Amino acid sequence: MKYFSTRNKNIVVSSKEAIRNGLAEDGGLFLPITFPHVLPLEVLSSYSYLELAHHIVSLFFDDYSEEEIHECVYHAYDSKFDTSEITPVTYFDDCAMVELFHGPTYAFKDVALSFLPQVMKLTASDNRILILTATSGDTGKAALEGFKDVENIHIVVCYPEDGVSSIQKKQMQTSLGNNVSVFAIQGNFDDCQKLVKQAYSDSSIQEALGSMTLSSANSINIGRLIPQIVYYFYSYFRLVESEKISLYDEVDFVVPTGNFGDILAGYFAKQIGLPIHQLICASNSNHVLSDFIKTGVYNRNRSFFETISPSMDILVSSNLERLLYLTCEDDEMVKNLMHRLEKEGSYTITDKMKQKIQETFVGYWASEEDCKKEIFARYQKDGILVDPHTSVALSALRKHKEETNSLYPTIVLSTASIFKFPNAILESLHEEVPSDAFEALDKLSQIAKQEIPFNIRKLKNAPIRFSDSVSKEDAISYLASLIKEVHQNDY
Ligand SMILES: *Cc1c(COP(=O)(O)O)cnc(C)c1O
């Protein structure tokens, strides 16, 4: 399986190269030249999570040997996850929910970021790899955990100073491992993401890197996208198993969306044979994507809101570029649209492209008020608590059902543990919020009648290792000196 750049079809690389480099040399994203087809669903339906992961990943990454893939899968999905199901499914009156937060950092990013370092490691040549990752909160910690002490790789994470929850910040600042660095940027997530893209072409960074290869753990890396396909299949088969649906029935998925990675994996799942009717894109107050799906106009020229679902606070969703290519199959067109986005902050797609997108995608957004109300309503009705990202999805589902009376069985992607966002949840329940984050956690634990997960409990006394914070303007030069330091410490 070869991969090509969305901005130039003639840039073609192997899956190992695509994973190693993250981004194509022209700034485009890698896409597989064709979509493979999975084994018949009858066969796959009895597969365990690990077996499914092995099957799907080896279709896409066929320049790895079967043994290599096996090793990657078994290292990725081991006891780091608190259930052997990896992504268990629970059922409610109106939907099923696949829980993607059973990994070491309690957000869905763990599913892919437990896997990526394993495949990245095997692309090793003589050169070391520097992973540079922008995070709106969850990716950073999941990447730091995944890459911690992996040989020949150093990982640098940058996050928006005031754009992450206090638990998320503490998780990152206290990270362990000898090959990790973390710093804050005085800006928002888009500023962080811009730094990553800029680093690829900046001469001072290139000079600092020397022989090191720059790569990314963001969902622009195809090595992160592919493992996310697995839980779409896995959750579908659980619905079959519990006789909620018959094999080959179509279902809808609702996906709380930020960088468009998770939902794009759903689109890939559909391409390779999963019976998906619609993918419901749920946005928060930064609703660039749900607007785009409705209108065909992508416009990031608008106010940026810091919301209680911070992992979705994004105005430039990188992975949308892949969908654009798949709907027009024209690299020149994608290049032009991306150029316009960079220059003018907006672009409009053709009617034909819009039509194609609307065949599969629908978009809704939830205000902060909607999101809080949904948390409260679910707690009142079913006695369950969901995190604010999942709540955005549930609110979108509510709107979709009201608008369309859709009867399709629905699977909601539940993307984070409630214990990552205690303040927002307490507020939604009209409870007083203690000013100390750990008191807030205790209070939430009592209300939820669940124990605080160990890796969050232990943060309380963990020493801060990383507290640097830099302005947007200084970010590149800060990064360049950080990379030079990494070099000095190694040689
Ligand atoms: C990252 C994240 C999302 C958004 O996923 P994308 O792939 O960026 O669209 C949603 N919820 C949580 C909890 C996340 O961490």
Side-chain angles (χ1 to χ4, degrees):
M1 176 76 68
K2 295 283 186 194
Y3 289 78
F4 68 96
S5 165
T6 45
R7 299 185 196 182
N8 181 353
K9 274 195 297 230
N10 298 318
I11 298 179
V12 176
V13 301
S14 68
S15 61
K16 278 191 179 166
E17 287 171 289
I19 289 167
R20 188 178 176 84
N21 296 328
L23 204 62
E25 66 201 49
D26 65 345
L29 306 190
F30 288 117
L31 270 177
I33 283 181
T34 54
F35 278 97
H37 257 265
V38 289
L39 286 170
L41 298 185
E42 287 81 357
V43 176
L44 293 183
S45 63
S46 62
Y47 277 25
S48 70
Y49 193 94
L50 274 73
E51 289 166 336
L52 265 180
H54 184 115
H55 176 61
I56 291 169
V57 167
S58 43
L59 290 176
F60 282 94
F61 300 155
D62 58 3
D63 52 345
Y64 289 82
S65 69
E66 286 289 316
E67 291 72 34
E68 283 178 326
I69 295 289
H70 181 86
E71 206 183 296
C72 290
V73 166
Y74 280 77
H75 273 136
Y77 304 118
D78 60 9
S79 58
K80 289 193 288 299
F81 284 77
D82 66 15
T83 157
S84 59
E85 280 207 74
I86 309 300
T87 63
V89 176
T90 48
Y91 302 97
F92 301 102
D93 288 349
D94 55 341
C95 62
M97 207 150 70
V98 54
E99 297 181 353
L100 305 178
F101 52 79
H102 290 271
T105 75
Y106 312 111
F108 97 91
K109 306 292 196 295
D110 285 326
V111 180
L113 282 166
S114 300
F115 185 80
L116 179 66
Q118 305 301 326
V119 276
M120 178 91 75
K121 198 167 67 183
L122 296 176
T123 68
S125 61
D126 296 336
N127 300 342
R128 303 178 70 235
I129 300 175
L130 187 106
I131 306 280
L132 178 59
T133 291
T135 184
S136 51
D138 290 329
T139 296
K141 183 57 186 179
L144 288 161
E145 277 300 311
F147 282 101
K148 181 175 69 187
D149 295 327
V150 173
E151 253 173 63
N152 287 324
I153 299 182
H154 189 96
I155 172 157
V156 179
V157 167
C158 64
Y159 65 91
E161 170 89 82
D162 298 316
V164 299
S165 83
S166 57
I167 295 294
Q168 288 176 318
K169 189 182 279 189
K170 189 101 197 256
Q171 277 186 312
M172 289 187 277
Q173 290 183 327
T174 59
S175 289
L176 299 176
N178 291 322
N179 63 335
V180 308
S181 313
V182 178
F183 68 97
I185 290 185
Q186 293 145 16
N188 59 36
F189 172 71
D190 289 318
D191 297 316
C192 297
Q193 188 154 259
K194 212 159 116 190
L195 175 73
V196 173
K197 289 204 175 147
Q198 216 181 333
Y200 275 87
S201 57
D202 183 272
S203 57
S204 69
I205 298 293
Q206 294 308 318
E207 192 195 314
L209 282 167
S211 61
M212 288 178 105
T213 305
L214 183 62
S215 190
S216 168
N218 283 107
S219 53
I220 52 175
N221 195 314
I222 194 77
R224 232 188 94 179
L225 212 52
I226 302 304
Q228 295 182 350
I229 300 171
V230 179
Y231 46 73
Y232 284 89
F233 279 86
Y234 185 78
S235 57
Y236 179 87
F237 292 135
R238 300 290 74 70
L239 263 64
V240 176
E241 188 179 57
S242 58
E243 297 178 357
K244 309 274 181 203
I245 58 172
S246 306
L247 205 59
Y248 293 103
D249 281 355
E250 289 194 327
V251 300
D252 287 342
F253 281 91
V254 192
V255 190
T257 297
N259 218 5
F260 210 74
D262 207 3
I263 197 166
L264 188 71
Y267 192 65
F268 279 26
K270 184 171 173 158
Q271 302 301 311
I272 65 173
L274 190 66
I276 294 177
H277 167 240
Q278 280 185 317
L279 291 164
I280 301 170
C281 172
S283 299
N284 67 18
S285 307
N286 299 296
H287 44 92
V288 190
L289 283 169
S290 60
D291 290 356
F292 169 74
I293 291 166
K294 282 201 176 83
T295 63
V297 180
Y298 194 96
N299 187 355
R300 71 160 166 83
N301 299 317
R302 58 177 79 202
S303 304
F304 177 90
F305 298 104
E306 277 172 5
T307 71
I308 55 172
S309 46
S311 301
M312 298 158 67
D313 290 347
I314 295 173
L315 294 182
V316 181
S317 298
S318 301
N319 276 294
L320 190 62
E321 180 169 343
R322 289 190 165 108
L323 181 67
L324 293 179
Y325 182 89
L326 294 171
T327 49
C328 69
E329 302 194 355
D330 177 347
D331 49 352
E332 226 11 74
M333 166 92 88
V334 173
K335 196 167 124 186
N336 288 334
L337 292 175
M338 290 302 108
H339 186 67
R340 222 165 295 157
L341 179 64
E342 197 154 305
K343 258 182 67 187
E344 294 154 27
S346 71
Y347 61 80
T348 305
I349 56 172
T350 64
D351 283 344
K352 217 171 132 202
M353 286 170 77
K354 185 170 98 177
Q355 228 170 21
K356 181 103 196 273
I357 287 174
Q358 289 177 344
E359 277 169 21
T360 302
F361 292 89
V362 278
Y364 298 90
W365 69 278
S367 68
E368 292 291 271
E369 208 39 52
D370 293 336
C371 175
K372 287 182 193 167
K373 270 193 193 149
E374 192 67 42
I375 291 176
F376 186 66
R378 286 279 157 179
Y379 182 65
Q380 293 255 302
K381 182 165 169 284
D382 301 320
I384 60 141
L385 282 172
V386 294
D387 93 285
H389 304 79
T390 308
S391 170
V392 167
L394 288 166
S395 177
L397 174 61
R398 187 185 292 274
K399 286 173 188 161
H400 179 65
K401 292 221 162 167
E402 275 165 15
E403 213 166 90
T404 63
N405 296 317
S406 163
L407 294 174
Y408 279 89
T410 309
I411 302 175
V412 174
L413 272 54
S414 179
T415 48
S417 155
I418 54 171
F419 291 105
K420 287 195 102 162
F421 307 97
N423 293 13
I425 294 172
L426 290 174
E427 230 173 78
S428 307
L429 300 177
H430 313 295
E431 295 282 342
E432 215 173 296
V433 183
S435 60
D436 178 78
F438 292 92
E439 279 175 36
L441 280 171
D442 283 333
K443 188 164 177 179
L444 181 61
S445 164
Q446 279 164 17
I447 294 172
K449 301 191 181 71
Q450 290 175 43
E451 275 204 28
I452 304 170
F454 175 72
N455 289 343
I456 289 184
R457 225 178 330 132
K458 77 176 187 197
L459 287 177
K460 188 168 180 176
N461 300 314
I464 304 273
R465 289 184 69 205
F466 305 101
S467 54
D468 284 1
S469 161
V470 299
S471 69
K472 283 187 269 188
E473 295 71 30
D474 294 340
I476 277 279
S477 63
Y478 174 89
L479 180 63
S481 29
L482 197 159
I483 295 171
K484 280 188 194 138
E485 239 172 77
V486 169
H487 260 302
Q488 270 160 10
N489 292 343
D490 287 327
Y491 297 109

